[in-house]
Amino acid sequence: MSTMRSLSFDAIIIGGGGAGLRAALELAKSGKKTAVLSKVFPTRSHTVSAQGGITCAIASADPNDDWRWHMYDTVKGGDYIADQDASEYMCSEGPKAVFELEHMGLPFSRFDNGRIYQRPFGGQSKDFGKGGQAARTCAAADRTGHALLHTLYQNNLKNNTTFLNEWYAVDLVKNANGDVVGCIAMDIETGEVVHVKSKATVMATGGAGRIFASTTNALINTGDGIGMALRAGFPMQDMEMWQFHPTGIYGAGTLVTEGCRGEGGYLVNKDGERFMERYAPNAKDLAGRDVVARSMVMEILEGRGCGEKADHVFLKLDHLGEDVLGKRLPGIVELSKTFAHVDPAKEPIPVVPTCHYMMGGIPTNVHGQAIMQKPDGSDQIVNGLFACGEAACVSVHGANRLGGNSLLDLVVFGRAAGMFIESALNEGIEYLDASESDVAAAMQRITRWNESEGGETVPDLKRELQDIMQTSFGVFREEENMVEGVKRLEELRERIANAYLPDKSNTFNTARVEALELDNLMEVAEATAIAALERKESRGAHSRYDYPDRDDVNWLKHSLYFPAEKRLGKRDVNFAPKTVDMFEPKVRTY
Amino acid sequence: MSKLQVSLYRYNPETDSAPYMQEFQVDTQGRDLMVLDVLHLAKEQDNGLAYRRSCREGVCGSDGMNMNGKNGLACITPLSEVVKGNKLTLRPLPGLPVIRDLVVDMGLFYQQYERIQPYLQNDEPAPAIERLQSPEERDKLDGLYECILCACCSTACPSFWWNPDKFVGPAGLLQSYRFLADSRDMATSERLAELEDPFSVFRCRGIMNCVAVCPKGLNPTRAIGKIREMLLANAT
């Protein structure tokens, strides 16, 4: 233990996706000693898979567009548990952050007047829902995430950011006062385990869609930041809120952007009926994602699904013509051919709702500071811990995220966290050093795997976890099934605690990384399961057969999951934006 | 019975004095799996098998490797496209040092990428909104910006094998041209000056392996041709 090497930074950013790279860029420019620690080379992060665009009122498609309309859509889309101060911050700061990306070189598609191309996306309106469909999603064809991530990586190179690429963060290190003062991390290439000390630790570790068997998420989306924070005893917010994207390719799970419907595509059932007209007469296929996903499942459950097993529906694009497909949706044409074996210019794409996004996460304020709760229910800042991007729950997505808002979330709050940390460092941060026993506590888990001598192996346990989540915590939920799911997870936790890592080698040991990831999947799954069971209403993405209605009396609240007691508490939603009147909760229709 | 014969390049520096090929029998149940799925199945037989992977949909560029002699991405290559006579041979990308099994040290590849200053350079004060760019100007970036840095092209290039420290290679040059072609970039002459030696660009012999293997259908050779033209125009 005493021979373990240590590294010291002013700030360490865990995760090299959009949020992490945007935070890092801010800090690199400030000259603070910063490093990005990422388990993959940064451009392999899941931001790269984002397709349709970044939603923001830059007033390009419509010169009269207004960020307040975007804020209204965001709050309504989140079924009124998105924090209104955070939504206000994101939507009003958004244009600045998007123009910065363009200035950095992001190759946005363009309108004839040379401005950034914007397309319609789901849940978008003009004039606070009264002015019809808006076109607010800024796009680089259907490769916006790729273009954004590469641009941010390139600008970090330009500003000499320090990268610890292919390093895996294992656990947080807390000092005697409970402040976060760094982490334990492993250099994957050599297997060396290092104590990384820092005054600010930023969780930009992304989502955890791999808790489900069917997901649009990359294989690396294992909720590492959530797992680390839960093991360190910090609460998680709104973990029951998982978005099922309407259009994952049937069988493969790969994403087909909502931009397809934004460009004029629509869903049909086995009779060729455009069924969304029945469920959302106004917005139709561009209703909120939760609404569209539920409608698709209803069609399938009522026997109108497509294919031999009647277990999916079709996304029709052929009427758009090869020009639009080639110009606006070239990546979708590629993906459809590869994973669905159809050419969307000729045939519809078979699609099914697929786990896509974690609305919940580490609760933070708009500066990215992690929050826990005092006994009297008020907020308390966690010293030293920050979060941004999908790992965080600011919350701007509430119970259902709008399409295109995740990329905006990344850059706005990555930037905000970077700016806040810079000024905090300027004012001076001093925390007590971690003691040897503090470090030993953070080493426990990796030591356990390294000393394991027999037991069940990782792939089987992971499959079982994914099966439980898929079976009991999918698009529609109900008590009995979830109780069973929680019970199976409890039992699985015991088995994972005794599981076996056969390969103990040091050099690029991906089996060890997958074992460590499994612990994180377990933490995320259990938090999700307990929160889903305890939230006794239906709101946004959380739909229960046994509690089909929204219950604003009891549940116009964030849920807060406390890992030590496995208890679900509540936290107030913010209804106090600074510059506009708050939006009163209304019945949500599209 | 009809199991796929998979021959995998294995090397763990901790235990192996030299690399070797190991044979696996993988039960595909007759499905036309992607090569990456086959690797997952092989890893269940041998936990120690190492390879990189992330998005599993051909956009992150993690799983470039050599499949039956041709570079490509394992996650978007169906068996029907590469398997011959029920046999699949998987090797690491050629020309880069092997760390373990199918994992190569990408250091030299990334160095060449960084060398071309892969970021927009424009010192004029930015406007309050975006910089304008016409659709025609933006069209010039198509076929360039989509690069995923998988290294399939550069590691298929004999000129890069020979001079990986001096020849930028197809991936780096494609990105170099991506910025040369961008109407918003102001560093054209500086960029060209950096490339004006016998190696950086001119080691390209037009072999076009890069074009043959690019999993995104990009054409580095054409981009290199454009850079040559710009260099020659500059010289006269």
Side-chain angles (χ1 to χ4, degrees), chain A residues 44 102-103 105 107 110 115-116 146 154 166 215 219 327 503 505-507 510, chain B residues 14 43 52 54 56 60 100 110 118 129-131 138-139 145 147-149 178 184:
Chain A
R44 325 288 182 211
E102 195 283 331
H103 298 154
R110 301 287 172 153
R115 293 208 60 193
I116 293 171
H146 168 278
Q154 291 162 351
E166 297 185 325
T215 174
L219 293 159
K327 190 90 201 151
D503 181 9
S505 61
N506 291 317
T507 310
T510 52
Chain B
E14 292 167 56
K43 192 174 171 73
R52 293 188 177 102
S54 173
R56 61 81 174 91
C60 80
R100 175 175 179 171
Y110 293 139
I129 58 166
E130 69 270 41
R131 290 195 166 96
R138 170 59 184 76
D139 282 351
Y145 82 95
C147 173
I148 57 174
L149 299 177
R178 176 251 174 275
R184 302 167 295 173

mmCIF file of all heavy atoms in Angstrom, chain A residues 44 102-103 105 107 110 115-116 146 154 166 215 219 327 503 505-507 510, chain B residues 14 43 52 54 56 60 100 110 118 129-131 138-139 145 147-149 178 184:
data_model
loop_
_atom_site.group_PDB
_atom_site.id
_atom_site.type_symbol
_atom_site.label_atom_id
_atom_site.label_comp_id
_atom_site.label_asym_id
_atom_site.label_seq_id
_atom_site.Cartn_x
_atom_site.Cartn_y
_atom_site.Cartn_z
ATOM 1 N N ARG A 44 -13.889 7.820 -28.256
ATOM 2 C CA ARG A 44 -14.650 6.550 -28.224
ATOM 3 C C ARG A 44 -15.792 6.650 -27.216
ATOM 4 O O ARG A 44 -16.471 5.656 -26.962
ATOM 5 C CB ARG A 44 -13.763 5.361 -27.837
ATOM 6 C CG ARG A 44 -12.325 5.381 -28.330
ATOM 7 C CD ARG A 44 -12.178 5.134 -29.799
ATOM 8 N NE ARG A 44 -10.775 5.118 -30.203
ATOM 9 C CZ ARG A 44 -10.360 5.510 -31.400
ATOM 10 N NH1 ARG A 44 -11.218 5.959 -32.303
ATOM 11 N NH2 ARG A 44 -9.089 5.466 -31.710
ATOM 12 N N GLU A 102 -19.491 26.255 -32.474
ATOM 13 C CA GLU A 102 -19.309 26.590 -33.889
ATOM 14 C C GLU A 102 -17.986 27.315 -34.085
ATOM 15 O O GLU A 102 -17.227 27.016 -35.021
ATOM 16 C CB GLU A 102 -20.494 27.433 -34.381
ATOM 17 C CG GLU A 102 -20.597 27.538 -35.903
ATOM 18 C CD GLU A 102 -19.608 28.507 -36.527
ATOM 19 O OE1 GLU A 102 -19.218 29.478 -35.848
ATOM 20 O OE2 GLU A 102 -19.211 28.284 -37.680
ATOM 21 N N HIS A 103 -17.677 28.239 -33.193
ATOM 22 C CA HIS A 103 -16.404 28.963 -33.312
ATOM 23 C C HIS A 103 -15.208 28.026 -33.166
ATOM 24 O O HIS A 103 -14.150 28.262 -33.728
ATOM 25 C CB HIS A 103 -16.325 30.077 -32.258
ATOM 26 C CG HIS A 103 -17.405 31.118 -32.411
ATOM 27 N ND1 HIS A 103 -17.858 31.885 -31.360
ATOM 28 C CD2 HIS A 103 -18.142 31.486 -33.484
ATOM 29 C CE1 HIS A 103 -18.823 32.688 -31.793
ATOM 30 N NE2 HIS A 103 -19.006 32.473 -33.085
ATOM 31 N N GLY A 105 -15.149 25.185 -34.410
ATOM 32 C CA GLY A 105 -14.989 24.452 -35.667
ATOM 33 C C GLY A 105 -16.019 23.379 -35.941
ATOM 34 O O GLY A 105 -15.945 22.705 -36.967
ATOM 35 N N PRO A 107 -18.576 21.282 -37.485
ATOM 36 C CA PRO A 107 -19.093 21.412 -38.859
ATOM 37 C C PRO A 107 -20.613 21.245 -38.947
ATOM 38 O O PRO A 107 -21.119 20.278 -39.510
ATOM 39 C CB PRO A 107 -18.373 20.291 -39.607
ATOM 40 C CG PRO A 107 -18.098 19.258 -38.567
ATOM 41 C CD PRO A 107 -17.883 20.000 -37.281
ATOM 42 N N ARG A 110 -25.851 23.628 -42.794
ATOM 43 C CA ARG A 110 -26.197 25.055 -42.938
ATOM 44 C C ARG A 110 -27.470 25.268 -43.737
ATOM 45 O O ARG A 110 -27.809 24.489 -44.631
ATOM 46 C CB ARG A 110 -25.046 25.784 -43.638
ATOM 47 C CG ARG A 110 -23.714 25.707 -42.913
ATOM 48 C CD ARG A 110 -23.688 26.557 -41.680
ATOM 49 N NE ARG A 110 -22.467 26.316 -40.900
ATOM 50 C CZ ARG A 110 -21.924 27.224 -40.093
ATOM 51 N NH1 ARG A 110 -22.483 28.407 -39.922
ATOM 52 N NH2 ARG A 110 -20.833 26.924 -39.413
ATOM 53 N N ARG A 115 -26.503 30.262 -41.987
ATOM 54 C CA ARG A 115 -26.646 29.998 -40.554
ATOM 55 C C ARG A 115 -26.784 28.493 -40.291
ATOM 56 O O ARG A 115 -26.928 27.679 -41.216
ATOM 57 C CB ARG A 115 -27.846 30.772 -39.992
ATOM 58 C CG ARG A 115 -27.639 32.296 -40.021
ATOM 59 C CD ARG A 115 -28.412 33.004 -38.922
ATOM 60 N NE ARG A 115 -28.002 32.547 -37.599
ATOM 61 C CZ ARG A 115 -28.674 32.818 -36.469
ATOM 62 N NH1 ARG A 115 -29.776 33.546 -36.523
ATOM 63 N NH2 ARG A 115 -28.244 32.364 -35.304
ATOM 64 N N ILE A 116 -26.712 28.128 -39.017
ATOM 65 C CA ILE A 116 -26.748 26.717 -38.626
ATOM 66 C C ILE A 116 -28.106 26.114 -38.947
ATOM 67 O O ILE A 116 -29.142 26.712 -38.653
ATOM 68 C CB ILE A 116 -26.435 26.577 -37.116
ATOM 69 C CG1 ILE A 116 -24.981 26.973 -36.832
ATOM 70 C CG2 ILE A 116 -26.716 25.163 -36.618
ATOM 71 C CD1 ILE A 116 -24.630 27.073 -35.351
ATOM 72 N N HIS A 146 -20.890 12.956 -32.946
ATOM 73 C CA HIS A 146 -19.534 12.710 -33.447
ATOM 74 C C HIS A 146 -18.820 14.027 -33.706
ATOM 75 O O HIS A 146 -17.686 14.248 -33.263
ATOM 76 C CB HIS A 146 -19.614 11.865 -34.727
ATOM 77 C CG HIS A 146 -18.322 11.784 -35.492
ATOM 78 N ND1 HIS A 146 -17.915 12.778 -36.358
ATOM 79 C CD2 HIS A 146 -17.361 10.844 -35.513
ATOM 80 C CE1 HIS A 146 -16.744 12.437 -36.873
ATOM 81 N NE2 HIS A 146 -16.391 11.266 -36.379
ATOM 82 N N GLN A 154 -10.484 18.050 -30.104
ATOM 83 C CA GLN A 154 -9.496 18.835 -30.855
ATOM 84 C C GLN A 154 -9.139 20.123 -30.108
ATOM 85 O O GLN A 154 -7.967 20.514 -30.039
ATOM 86 C CB GLN A 154 -10.061 19.167 -32.238
ATOM 87 C CG GLN A 154 -10.185 17.931 -33.133
ATOM 88 C CD GLN A 154 -11.128 18.140 -34.321
ATOM 89 O OE1 GLN A 154 -11.838 19.142 -34.412
ATOM 90 N NE2 GLN A 154 -11.127 17.188 -35.243
ATOM 91 N N GLU A 166 -7.439 5.660 -21.238
ATOM 92 C CA GLU A 166 -7.468 4.251 -20.883
ATOM 93 C C GLU A 166 -6.991 4.054 -19.451
ATOM 94 O O GLU A 166 -6.189 3.177 -19.145
ATOM 95 C CB GLU A 166 -6.715 3.403 -21.930
ATOM 96 C CG GLU A 166 -7.416 3.506 -23.294
ATOM 97 C CD GLU A 166 -6.854 2.627 -24.386
ATOM 98 O OE1 GLU A 166 -5.632 2.427 -24.405
ATOM 99 O OE2 GLU A 166 -7.639 2.151 -25.239
ATOM 100 N N THR A 215 -30.544 -1.978 -25.290
ATOM 101 C CA THR A 215 -30.241 -0.560 -25.098
ATOM 102 C C THR A 215 -29.548 0.003 -26.321
ATOM 103 O O THR A 215 -28.856 -0.730 -27.039
ATOM 104 C CB THR A 215 -29.354 -0.336 -23.853
ATOM 105 O OG1 THR A 215 -28.968 1.040 -23.781
ATOM 106 C CG2 THR A 215 -28.096 -1.188 -23.897
ATOM 107 N N LEU A 219 -21.287 -0.197 -25.178
ATOM 108 C CA LEU A 219 -20.930 -1.240 -24.205
ATOM 109 C C LEU A 219 -20.256 -0.654 -22.972
ATOM 110 O O LEU A 219 -20.240 -1.265 -21.910
ATOM 111 C CB LEU A 219 -20.007 -2.263 -24.879
ATOM 112 C CG LEU A 219 -20.694 -3.085 -25.981
ATOM 113 C CD1 LEU A 219 -19.669 -3.675 -26.944
ATOM 114 C CD2 LEU A 219 -21.537 -4.193 -25.369
ATOM 115 N N LYS A 327 -28.678 13.570 -47.703
ATOM 116 C CA LYS A 327 -28.156 14.850 -47.226
ATOM 117 C C LYS A 327 -28.321 14.993 -45.704
ATOM 118 O O LYS A 327 -27.426 15.435 -45.008
ATOM 119 C CB LYS A 327 -28.946 15.972 -47.918
ATOM 120 C CG LYS A 327 -28.396 17.355 -47.719
ATOM 121 C CD LYS A 327 -27.398 17.679 -48.804
ATOM 122 C CE LYS A 327 -26.483 18.793 -48.358
ATOM 123 N NZ LYS A 327 -25.175 18.722 -48.972
ATOM 124 N N ASP A 503 -8.853 -14.064 -14.607
ATOM 125 C CA ASP A 503 -7.612 -13.512 -15.162
ATOM 126 C C ASP A 503 -7.075 -12.413 -14.252
ATOM 127 O O ASP A 503 -7.663 -11.349 -14.125
ATOM 128 C CB ASP A 503 -7.901 -12.963 -16.568
ATOM 129 C CG ASP A 503 -6.655 -12.383 -17.216
ATOM 130 O OD1 ASP A 503 -5.550 -12.567 -16.650
ATOM 131 O OD2 ASP A 503 -6.778 -11.742 -18.273
ATOM 132 N N SER A 505 -4.003 -11.028 -14.607
ATOM 133 C CA SER A 505 -2.834 -10.385 -15.216
ATOM 134 C C SER A 505 -2.972 -8.863 -15.179
ATOM 135 O O SER A 505 -4.056 -8.323 -14.954
ATOM 136 C CB SER A 505 -2.653 -10.872 -16.652
ATOM 137 O OG SER A 505 -3.787 -10.533 -17.416
ATOM 138 N N ASN A 506 -1.879 -8.169 -15.424
ATOM 139 C CA ASN A 506 -1.874 -6.709 -15.305
ATOM 140 C C ASN A 506 -2.055 -5.980 -16.624
ATOM 141 O O ASN A 506 -2.694 -4.941 -16.681
ATOM 142 C CB ASN A 506 -0.559 -6.248 -14.666
ATOM 143 C CG ASN A 506 -0.498 -6.653 -13.213
ATOM 144 O OD1 ASN A 506 -1.486 -6.523 -12.486
ATOM 145 N ND2 ASN A 506 0.641 -7.180 -12.788
ATOM 146 N N THR A 507 -1.462 -6.509 -17.693
ATOM 147 C CA THR A 507 -1.446 -5.788 -18.953
ATOM 148 C C THR A 507 -2.812 -5.789 -19.639
ATOM 149 O O THR A 507 -3.358 -6.846 -19.948
ATOM 150 C CB THR A 507 -0.432 -6.443 -19.924
ATOM 151 O OG1 THR A 507 0.796 -6.608 -19.234
ATOM 152 C CG2 THR A 507 -0.230 -5.574 -21.158
ATOM 153 N N THR A 510 -8.904 -6.513 -19.753
ATOM 154 C CA THR A 510 -10.280 -6.028 -19.926
ATOM 155 C C THR A 510 -11.263 -6.822 -19.063
ATOM 156 O O THR A 510 -12.344 -6.332 -18.738
ATOM 157 C CB THR A 510 -10.712 -6.118 -21.404
ATOM 158 O OG1 THR A 510 -10.477 -7.446 -21.880
ATOM 159 C CG2 THR A 510 -9.933 -5.144 -22.256
ATOM 160 N N GLU B 14 3.219 -10.623 -20.251
ATOM 161 C CA GLU B 14 3.566 -11.141 -18.924
ATOM 162 C C GLU B 14 3.842 -12.636 -18.947
ATOM 163 O O GLU B 14 4.568 -13.146 -18.102
ATOM 164 C CB GLU B 14 2.424 -10.873 -17.933
ATOM 165 C CG GLU B 14 2.240 -9.405 -17.621
ATOM 166 C CD GLU B 14 0.920 -9.159 -16.895
ATOM 167 O OE1 GLU B 14 0.690 -9.769 -15.842
ATOM 168 O OE2 GLU B 14 0.125 -8.340 -17.398
ATOM 169 N N LYS B 43 -14.425 -14.668 -25.927
ATOM 170 C CA LYS B 43 -13.986 -14.185 -24.610
ATOM 171 C C LYS B 43 -14.678 -14.947 -23.479
ATOM 172 O O LYS B 43 -14.136 -15.085 -22.392
ATOM 173 C CB LYS B 43 -14.249 -12.677 -24.478
ATOM 174 C CG LYS B 43 -13.563 -12.046 -23.255
ATOM 175 C CD LYS B 43 -13.737 -10.537 -23.260
ATOM 176 C CE LYS B 43 -13.276 -9.872 -21.977
ATOM 177 N NZ LYS B 43 -11.809 -9.836 -21.832
ATOM 178 N N ARG B 52 -10.387 -4.004 -27.864
ATOM 179 C CA ARG B 52 -11.117 -2.783 -27.519
ATOM 180 C C ARG B 52 -12.489 -2.795 -28.187
ATOM 181 O O ARG B 52 -12.632 -3.283 -29.300
ATOM 182 C CB ARG B 52 -10.367 -1.544 -28.008
ATOM 183 C CG ARG B 52 -9.045 -1.263 -27.332
ATOM 184 C CD ARG B 52 -8.522 0.092 -27.791
ATOM 185 N NE ARG B 52 -7.291 0.473 -27.125
ATOM 186 C CZ ARG B 52 -6.074 0.374 -27.673
ATOM 187 N NH1 ARG B 52 -5.939 -0.097 -28.898
ATOM 188 N NH2 ARG B 52 -5.011 0.755 -26.995
ATOM 189 N N SER B 54 -16.459 -0.263 -27.995
ATOM 190 C CA SER B 54 -17.281 0.679 -27.248
ATOM 191 C C SER B 54 -18.678 0.774 -27.841
ATOM 192 O O SER B 54 -19.611 0.139 -27.373
ATOM 193 C CB SER B 54 -16.597 2.050 -27.189
ATOM 194 O OG SER B 54 -17.458 3.010 -26.617
ATOM 195 N N ARG B 56 -20.192 -0.291 -30.549
ATOM 196 C CA ARG B 56 -20.677 -1.461 -31.303
ATOM 197 C C ARG B 56 -21.609 -1.079 -32.461
ATOM 198 O O ARG B 56 -22.476 -1.837 -32.855
ATOM 199 C CB ARG B 56 -21.312 -2.521 -30.370
ATOM 200 C CG ARG B 56 -22.545 -2.151 -29.535
ATOM 201 C CD ARG B 56 -23.843 -2.220 -30.344
ATOM 202 N NE ARG B 56 -25.030 -2.023 -29.582
ATOM 203 C CZ ARG B 56 -25.604 -0.838 -29.384
ATOM 204 N NH1 ARG B 56 -25.063 0.271 -29.872
ATOM 205 N NH2 ARG B 56 -26.719 -0.747 -28.698
ATOM 206 N N CYS B 60 -17.429 4.801 -33.106
ATOM 207 C CA CYS B 60 -16.417 5.227 -32.118
ATOM 208 C C CYS B 60 -15.005 4.864 -32.548
ATOM 209 O O CYS B 60 -14.042 5.443 -32.076
ATOM 210 C CB CYS B 60 -16.731 4.659 -30.741
ATOM 211 S SG CYS B 60 -16.223 2.943 -30.525
ATOM 212 N N ARG B 100 -1.389 -6.149 -26.157
ATOM 213 C CA ARG B 100 -1.862 -7.477 -25.754
ATOM 214 C C ARG B 100 -2.916 -7.949 -26.764
ATOM 215 O O ARG B 100 -3.828 -7.178 -27.099
ATOM 216 C CB ARG B 100 -2.470 -7.418 -24.356
ATOM 217 C CG ARG B 100 -3.100 -8.737 -23.917
ATOM 218 C CD ARG B 100 -3.574 -8.664 -22.486
ATOM 219 N NE ARG B 100 -4.194 -9.914 -22.087
ATOM 220 C CZ ARG B 100 -4.553 -10.204 -20.846
ATOM 221 N NH1 ARG B 100 -4.338 -9.322 -19.889
ATOM 222 N NH2 ARG B 100 -5.111 -11.352 -20.547
ATOM 223 N N TYR B 110 -1.762 8.531 -33.134
ATOM 224 C CA TYR B 110 -2.290 9.762 -32.536
ATOM 225 C C TYR B 110 -1.300 10.928 -32.679
ATOM 226 O O TYR B 110 -1.689 12.072 -32.855
ATOM 227 C CB TYR B 110 -2.625 9.546 -31.053
ATOM 228 C CG TYR B 110 -3.774 8.600 -30.796
ATOM 229 C CD1 TYR B 110 -3.704 7.676 -29.757
ATOM 230 C CD2 TYR B 110 -4.925 8.619 -31.586
ATOM 231 C CE1 TYR B 110 -4.764 6.800 -29.494
ATOM 232 C CE2 TYR B 110 -5.983 7.752 -31.335
ATOM 233 C CZ TYR B 110 -5.889 6.839 -30.288
ATOM 234 O OH TYR B 110 -6.931 5.982 -30.040
ATOM 235 N N PRO B 118 -5.069 19.485 -35.510
ATOM 236 C CA PRO B 118 -6.440 19.158 -35.939
ATOM 237 C C PRO B 118 -7.499 19.993 -35.223
ATOM 238 O O PRO B 118 -8.338 19.475 -34.500
ATOM 239 C CB PRO B 118 -6.566 17.679 -35.563
ATOM 240 C CG PRO B 118 -5.713 17.546 -34.343
ATOM 241 C CD PRO B 118 -4.568 18.501 -34.536
ATOM 242 N N ILE B 129 -22.917 35.707 -32.981
ATOM 243 C CA ILE B 129 -23.580 34.452 -33.335
ATOM 244 C C ILE B 129 -22.546 33.536 -33.986
ATOM 245 O O ILE B 129 -21.353 33.701 -33.757
ATOM 246 C CB ILE B 129 -24.798 34.688 -34.272
ATOM 247 C CG1 ILE B 129 -24.361 35.394 -35.550
ATOM 248 C CG2 ILE B 129 -25.870 35.481 -33.539
ATOM 249 C CD1 ILE B 129 -25.404 35.363 -36.661
ATOM 250 N N GLU B 130 -23.004 32.558 -34.769
ATOM 251 C CA GLU B 130 -22.056 31.672 -35.435
ATOM 252 C C GLU B 130 -21.368 32.398 -36.595
ATOM 253 O O GLU B 130 -21.870 33.390 -37.102
ATOM 254 C CB GLU B 130 -22.767 30.408 -35.965
ATOM 255 C CG GLU B 130 -23.726 30.593 -37.140
ATOM 256 C CD GLU B 130 -25.155 30.876 -36.688
ATOM 257 O OE1 GLU B 130 -25.333 31.651 -35.727
ATOM 258 O OE2 GLU B 130 -26.080 30.347 -37.329
ATOM 259 N N ARG B 131 -20.200 31.860 -37.019
ATOM 260 C CA ARG B 131 -19.607 32.315 -38.271
ATOM 261 C C ARG B 131 -20.459 31.746 -39.402
ATOM 262 O O ARG B 131 -20.832 30.576 -39.365
ATOM 263 C CB ARG B 131 -18.180 31.794 -38.417
ATOM 264 C CG ARG B 131 -17.210 32.436 -37.444
ATOM 265 C CD ARG B 131 -15.761 32.179 -37.862
ATOM 266 N NE ARG B 131 -14.856 33.053 -37.121
ATOM 267 C CZ ARG B 131 -14.215 32.690 -36.004
ATOM 268 N NH1 ARG B 131 -14.360 31.479 -35.512
ATOM 269 N NH2 ARG B 131 -13.433 33.544 -35.384
ATOM 270 N N ARG B 138 -19.878 24.354 -46.835
ATOM 271 C CA ARG B 138 -19.996 23.255 -45.867
ATOM 272 C C ARG B 138 -19.907 21.894 -46.554
ATOM 273 O O ARG B 138 -19.337 20.943 -46.002
ATOM 274 C CB ARG B 138 -21.307 23.401 -45.090
ATOM 275 C CG ARG B 138 -21.705 22.233 -44.211
ATOM 276 C CD ARG B 138 -20.673 21.915 -43.151
ATOM 277 N NE ARG B 138 -21.068 20.722 -42.402
ATOM 278 C CZ ARG B 138 -20.967 19.485 -42.874
ATOM 279 N NH1 ARG B 138 -20.467 19.256 -44.079
ATOM 280 N NH2 ARG B 138 -21.362 18.470 -42.134
ATOM 281 N N ASP B 139 -20.447 21.806 -47.762
ATOM 282 C CA ASP B 139 -20.393 20.541 -48.510
ATOM 283 C C ASP B 139 -18.961 20.046 -48.695
ATOM 284 O O ASP B 139 -18.710 18.854 -48.809
ATOM 285 C CB ASP B 139 -21.032 20.703 -49.897
ATOM 286 C CG ASP B 139 -22.559 20.681 -49.832
ATOM 287 O OD1 ASP B 139 -23.096 20.377 -48.740
ATOM 288 O OD2 ASP B 139 -23.208 20.990 -50.851
ATOM 289 N N TYR B 145 -14.915 15.178 -42.447
ATOM 290 C CA TYR B 145 -15.096 15.315 -40.990
ATOM 291 C C TYR B 145 -15.571 14.027 -40.342
ATOM 292 O O TYR B 145 -15.492 13.862 -39.127
ATOM 293 C CB TYR B 145 -16.094 16.450 -40.684
ATOM 294 C CG TYR B 145 -17.566 16.059 -40.789
ATOM 295 C CD1 TYR B 145 -18.273 15.659 -39.652
ATOM 296 C CD2 TYR B 145 -18.236 16.056 -42.012
ATOM 297 C CE1 TYR B 145 -19.615 15.286 -39.742
ATOM 298 C CE2 TYR B 145 -19.562 15.681 -42.109
ATOM 299 C CZ TYR B 145 -20.249 15.302 -40.977
ATOM 300 O OH TYR B 145 -21.562 14.919 -41.072
ATOM 301 N N CYS B 147 -14.357 11.127 -40.217
ATOM 302 C CA CYS B 147 -13.317 10.194 -39.771
ATOM 303 C C CYS B 147 -13.490 9.865 -38.290
ATOM 304 O O CYS B 147 -13.748 10.734 -37.472
ATOM 305 C CB CYS B 147 -11.933 10.789 -39.999
ATOM 306 S SG CYS B 147 -10.616 9.773 -39.293
ATOM 307 N N ILE B 148 -13.351 8.568 -37.940
ATOM 308 C CA ILE B 148 -13.542 8.138 -36.558
ATOM 309 C C ILE B 148 -12.227 7.729 -35.893
ATOM 310 O O ILE B 148 -12.236 7.160 -34.806
ATOM 311 C CB ILE B 148 -14.556 6.975 -36.487
ATOM 312 C CG1 ILE B 148 -14.104 5.794 -37.350
ATOM 313 C CG2 ILE B 148 -15.951 7.457 -36.944
ATOM 314 C CD1 ILE B 148 -14.978 4.551 -37.214
ATOM 315 N N LEU B 149 -11.103 7.986 -36.534
ATOM 316 C CA LEU B 149 -9.780 7.697 -35.961
ATOM 317 C C LEU B 149 -9.608 6.223 -35.574
ATOM 318 O O LEU B 149 -9.005 5.916 -34.547
ATOM 319 C CB LEU B 149 -9.511 8.589 -34.739
ATOM 320 C CG LEU B 149 -9.507 10.093 -34.994
ATOM 321 C CD1 LEU B 149 -9.296 10.843 -33.665
ATOM 322 C CD2 LEU B 149 -8.426 10.491 -35.991
ATOM 323 N N ARG B 178 -9.307 18.361 -44.066
ATOM 324 C CA ARG B 178 -10.596 18.791 -43.508
ATOM 325 C C ARG B 178 -10.495 20.259 -43.049
ATOM 326 O O ARG B 178 -11.448 21.027 -43.201
ATOM 327 C CB ARG B 178 -10.999 17.867 -42.346
ATOM 328 C CG ARG B 178 -12.285 18.267 -41.603
ATOM 329 C CD ARG B 178 -11.936 18.786 -40.201
ATOM 330 N NE ARG B 178 -13.095 19.302 -39.504
ATOM 331 C CZ ARG B 178 -13.554 20.555 -39.650
ATOM 332 N NH1 ARG B 178 -12.969 21.393 -40.491
ATOM 333 N NH2 ARG B 178 -14.595 20.965 -38.972
ATOM 334 N N ARG B 184 -13.791 28.519 -42.840
ATOM 335 C CA ARG B 184 -13.599 29.305 -41.610
ATOM 336 C C ARG B 184 -12.168 29.275 -41.107
ATOM 337 O O ARG B 184 -11.815 29.994 -40.180
ATOM 338 C CB ARG B 184 -14.529 28.769 -40.507
ATOM 339 C CG ARG B 184 -16.002 28.782 -40.876
ATOM 340 C CD ARG B 184 -16.820 27.970 -39.895
ATOM 341 N NE ARG B 184 -16.476 26.547 -39.927
ATOM 342 C CZ ARG B 184 -16.943 25.632 -39.078
ATOM 343 N NH1 ARG B 184 -17.764 25.991 -38.109
ATOM 344 N NH2 ARG B 184 -16.582 24.367 -39.193
#
